[in-house]
Amino acid sequence: MTKQELEFNKKDMYTYAEVREMIESAMMDRARYLGYFYKVMPRDLFDEYAKKALFAYGEGKAQNKFFEGREKGDISAMVDFLVSTNGVSATPSVGIYCVEKDAEKAILNMDGKCALVQGWEAMGLRPEEVDYLCLIASYGDFGHCHALGLEGEWLKTSTKPGCDNCVFKVCREK
């Protein structure tokens, strides 16, 4: 193995903290992409096309092996998926957990400030702009739910002053 190959492969194993930092950084970059589109596009066009694009992105996320064999409208499918992202892949720093669930709805708590919000804040966007971009980004979650025969609703987000968590409600589509 050459010295260059050895240097490249020296980190075949990463610590939890290293991987978590890489994922948070990637999520913050994703936030900045959306933030820069917001900054350069006319608001009406951004609003219309960002919602459509993110909804479609969310629908695409439902084409995941995790959901194979699950019936549409299965609340547990989305809850299990979201809770399974705990650890290094969850954007909230503490994690995602279900606080209430029955056959018709579930409430999930996401502790810690979302990396998307952190990315927009790092851009220097005003709190109302961060809140608006959070709403726009939510269309990805709404599309994901829709593709699974569900509806999603944010009851609380970390975009609000003094708030450090988000609460997401998932219910069967009406």
Side-chain angles (χ1 to χ4, degrees), residues 53-165:
L54 288 163
F55 195 88
Y57 168 74
E59 288 179 315
K61 283 179 68 173
Q63 306 307 311
N64 181 315
K65 287 184 184 237
F66 188 91
F67 299 108
E68 285 179 4
R70 305 271 192 138
E71 291 188 32
K72 278 194 159 215
D74 180 3
I75 300 287
S76 293
M78 187 59 138
V79 170
D80 293 347
F81 175 76
L82 291 170
V83 170
S84 76
T85 65
N86 273 327
V88 296
S89 62
T91 60
S93 59
V94 178
I96 302 169
Y97 54 95
C98 187
V99 294
E100 180 183 331
K101 182 175 97 173
D102 59 36
E104 298 301 315
K105 75 170 180 334
I107 308 290
L108 293 114
N109 196 59
M110 302 173 182
D111 285 343
K113 189 170 276 197
C114 171
L116 295 173
V117 171
Q118 293 175 50
W120 296 317
E121 289 175 345
M123 287 178 68
L125 296 175
R126 296 184 318 273
E128 62 273 11
E129 292 175 306
V130 172
D131 190 48
Y132 170 72
L133 287 172
C134 181
L135 170 65
I136 295 297
S138 294
Y139 276 78
D141 302 306
F142 304 152
H144 194 173
C145 286
H146 174 75
L148 299 173
L150 304 168
E151 290 180 0
E153 175 186 359
W154 290 101
L155 302 178
K156 184 177 173 183
T157 68
S158 63
T159 63
K160 306 297 184 212
C163 185
D164 62 354
N165 74 316

Side-chain angles (χ1 to χ4, degrees), residues 7-37:
E7 188 69 23
F8 181 77
N9 291 322
K10 75 177 181 180
K11 289 202 82 160
D12 286 335
M13 298 292 290
Y14 292 90
T15 67
Y16 173 90
E18 289 171 323
V19 172
R20 179 148 187 79
E21 185 178 325
M22 287 185 270
I23 290 172
E24 283 181 344
S25 177
M27 293 297 295
M28 289 172 75
D29 276 349
R30 181 174 143 210
R32 286 188 285 266
Y33 286 128
L34 188 61
Y36 283 111
F37 276 108

